[in-house]
Amino acid sequence: MSFDLVFFGGTGDLTWRKLMPALFQAFRHGKLPAGGRILAVARDERSDADYRQFIRERFVDVDSSKRPSDDEFDRFASMLHYRRMDLSQPTDYAGLKSWLDERGADTVVLYLATSPHLFPVICEQLGSAGLNGPKVRVVLEKPLGHDLSSAQEINRVVRSVFSEQQAFRIDHYLGKPSVQNLMALRFGNALFEPLWNRQSIANIQITLAESLGVGTRGDFYDRTGALRDMIQNHALQLLTMIAMEPPSTNDADAIRDEKLKVLKSLRPFTPASVARDVLRGQYKAGTVEGKAVPGYLDEVKVPAGSTCETFVALRTEVQNWRWAGVPFYLRTGKRLAARDAQIVVNFREVPHPIFPGTPRANKLVIKLQPEDGLELHLLAAKGAGQGDALSPVSLDLDFDKAFPTDRVGAYERLLLDAIAGRLNLFVRSDEQEQAWRWVEPILDSWAQDASDLKTYAAGSWGPPAASAMVARDGFAWAEEQ
Ligand code: BG6
């Protein structure tokens, strides 16, 4: 199958930092269909050779095991092309169309790796140039909108040019191997499903913690904040996969229908419940992994006195028969104690304890990163005498060890899926809009008054109030258990 993959924003950060290295890995693993061309488009004038050199120089930043040898890079780079385009010029789109038509590849993937404010204009121009035929797919990078109405506007324009089957909205968390394993765990194994409900589960915690700060992206981040950057998309997508009903098939729409139902079942926020169940924080100076780091307000390009949140913790419920009354806690933050993304499923305690000592319940930890694995925490008798307290032990499964040669990175997976036309791991417009609808009352409340913003020391697990929020229900975050 021949394909043409076009990156709008071809010299931007996302393209050289994530997309090109991911494509190179796909190439190295022999997974990139032969006969493909990769075209970068951007504003400035360059030759193909210049562009190849531009990417080659940037590959030195890629971690060493993933870096190509000169020869490997040359073979990969022979697929790379470059084209200057002014994204507001119809003639430039006509030129692109001729370039693509001349070859007539089986599939054309147009990846919008630009700033999202350009999406509407690019889509409209693509439509006018006739670059929306049945073999064309469009990939849209987050952030898709800033709130519900801007997301709806982007979707309106996208839908006026492309069908839903042609629109591939990226949430790169869905491409992470651990997230695929979540589907496998739930729907490829009969073991857990009977326990996956309010009768057996006490609470579920989703933590997406980062130890990094905002780096040099202070201006972008300050317009975004943790709620829009991580909760509206990544954390909610994970929640849908944990909470969804078994889909009838493994088809994209069967899965996305079930995810949408979860989003629609989330308890809606009111101003009172935002005040009670949502907490925002901003990091102050502190020490992360042994290094002193500045506070958010001292990061480059962050406006003085900003009240942008770098941390969010919230409590919600999925209002249906399976989950009624089970708290779902979501938490994310920059400059936390560790880079650690995980889902913890805390099971209920035994109904009648016969062993002495504090009863500690079972939990299943789904580790997303940095490790990718599963831990099942059990209580065992440690060879002790009758009447002694039980000890916690865990059954550990490390997917990197279990499948040492088959690990595929998130962007690699998603790019290959876009080329192959598999929509399962992409977000449908109604899901995305429903997620915005759900976070909107939080955005509205926060916009009224920022006096609830807490601070936390860089290198901690966030404001202490986040622990109090969970403790109110009689629970504790995983690291405090
Ligand atoms: C992005 C956010 O979507 O996800 C970033 O914009 C964040 O702020 C990143 O750092 C985290 O992704 P990962 O894969 O490193 O956990």
Side-chain angles (χ1 to χ4, degrees), residues 18-148:
K18 301 271 189 197
L19 304 176
M20 287 296 172
L23 278 174
F24 171 71
Q25 290 309 315
F27 169 79
R28 178 181 263 181
H29 296 149
K31 295 200 166 133
L32 207 54
R37 292 189 304 184
I38 300 163
L39 175 70
V41 305
R43 246 181 316 226
D44 44 346
E45 200 63 66
R46 293 167 201 250
S47 63
D48 287 357
D50 293 341
Y51 186 72
R52 290 169 188 172
Q53 184 57 24
F54 168 85
I55 294 296
R56 183 195 295 275
E57 284 161 14
R58 273 149 191 83
F59 267 32
V60 272
D61 281 349
V62 172
D63 90 51
S64 55
S65 65
K66 296 189 171 157
R67 217 173 286 156
S69 66
D70 281 351
D71 175 54
E72 249 182 330
F73 184 81
D74 289 343
R75 281 187 286 124
F76 169 67
S78 66
M79 302 171 75
L80 299 183
H81 302 269
Y82 180 84
R83 207 178 160 82
R84 197 202 73 82
M85 265 183 84
D86 175 340
L87 294 178
S88 60
Q89 279 308 318
T91 46
D92 287 5
Y93 290 83
L96 172 63
K97 183 162 190 307
S98 319
W99 189 85
L100 292 167
D101 285 351
E102 213 172 285
R103 159 93 176 308
D106 301 327
T107 300
V108 174
V109 179
L110 306 172
Y111 196 124
L112 309 196
T114 62
S115 161
H117 78 273
L118 295 170
F119 292 174
V121 60
I122 300 176
C123 287
E124 274 161 6
Q125 295 275 8
L126 290 170
S128 311
L131 276 167
N132 59 343
K135 63 182 186 180
V136 176
R137 293 173 193 137
V138 64
V139 183
L140 303 150
E141 250 303 331
K142 99 176 236 290
L144 280 162
H146 196 66
D147 54 15
L148 178 60

Side-chain angles (χ1 to χ4, degrees), residues 120 123-128 132 152-164 166 169:
C123 287
E124 274 161 6
Q125 295 275 8
L126 290 170
S128 311
N132 59 343
Q152 284 171 326
E153 177 53 17
I154 294 175
N155 283 332
R156 188 190 62 73
V157 177
V158 172
R159 259 188 255 126
S160 70
V161 178
F162 298 99
S163 70
E164 189 66 47
Q166 290 175 289
R169 291 177 195 76

Side-chain angles (χ1 to χ4, degrees), residues 18 141-142 172-173 176 208-210 212-213 217 220-221 224 229-230 233-234 334 339 341 369 410-411:
K18 301 271 189 197
E141 250 303 331
K142 99 176 236 290
H172 78 278
Y173 265 65
K176 290 187 189 278
L208 304 180
E210 295 184 272
L212 291 178
R217 298 196 309 157
F220 157 79
Y221 193 84
T224 309
D229 193 41
M230 299 290 286
N233 32 66
H234 307 321
K334 301 268 184 209
R339 176 169 186 253
Q369 63 191 27
Y411 273 105

Side-chain angles (χ1 to χ4, degrees), residues 141-357:
E141 250 303 331
K142 99 176 236 290
L144 280 162
H146 196 66
D147 54 15
L148 178 60
S149 65
S150 55
Q152 284 171 326
E153 177 53 17
I154 294 175
N155 283 332
R156 188 190 62 73
V157 177
V158 172
R159 259 188 255 126
S160 70
V161 178
F162 298 99
S163 70
E164 189 66 47
Q165 296 305 312
Q166 290 175 289
F168 289 65
R169 291 177 195 76
I170 290 241
D171 183 312
H172 78 278
Y173 265 65
L174 294 184
K176 290 187 189 278
S178 39
V179 178
Q180 321 294 305
N181 274 316
L182 187 52
M183 288 291 282
L185 174 80
R186 288 204 54 203
F187 306 125
N189 295 282
L191 199 62
F192 288 107
E193 200 50 29
L195 305 176
W196 215 255
N197 54 46
R198 61 193 301 278
Q199 279 79 33
S200 304
I201 292 176
N203 68 84
I204 293 185
Q205 306 181 356
I206 300 178
T207 294
L208 304 180
E210 295 184 272
S211 52
L212 291 178
V214 295
T216 52
R217 298 196 309 157
D219 47 352
F220 157 79
Y221 193 84
D222 204 73
R223 281 180 268 122
T224 309
L227 186 73
R228 290 184 173 97
D229 193 41
M230 299 290 286
I231 298 282
Q232 185 273 344
N233 32 66
H234 307 321
L236 280 185
Q237 284 293 323
L238 294 176
L239 187 157
T240 61
M241 299 190 94
I242 280 284
M244 72 199 260
E245 294 301 315
S248 55
T249 67
N250 194 20
D251 289 344
D253 278 330
I255 295 170
R256 300 187 304 176
D257 287 346
E258 296 303 337
K259 286 165 63 196
L260 178 64
K261 280 191 214 156
V262 174
L263 291 167
K264 287 187 171 170
S265 309
L266 288 176
R267 170 180 281 173
F269 280 110
T270 61
S273 64
V274 170
R276 190 187 58 231
D277 293 337
V278 189
L279 180 97
R280 56 176 159 168
Q282 190 184 76
Y283 62 85
K284 292 187 303 186
T287 307
V288 177
E289 290 155 359
K291 228 179 97 204
V293 296
Y296 178 71
L297 293 177
D298 294 321
E299 299 278 18
V300 277
K301 300 191 220 155
V302 168
S306 164
T307 55
C308 175
E309 83 284 359
T310 59
F311 176 93
V312 177
L314 64 83
R315 177 196 193 281
T316 186
E317 287 180 22
V318 178
Q319 297 182 305
N320 62 19
W321 275 45
R322 186 189 283 265
W323 295 117
V326 177
F328 282 73
Y329 304 105
L330 273 49
R331 164 174 77 154
T332 188
K334 301 268 184 209
R335 285 291 188 224
L336 295 181
R339 176 169 186 253
D340 184 15
Q342 62 174 23
I343 302 170
V344 179
V345 178
N346 284 306
F347 289 91
R348 291 191 186 282
E349 283 167 8
V350 292
H352 173 63
I354 59 165
F355 297 100

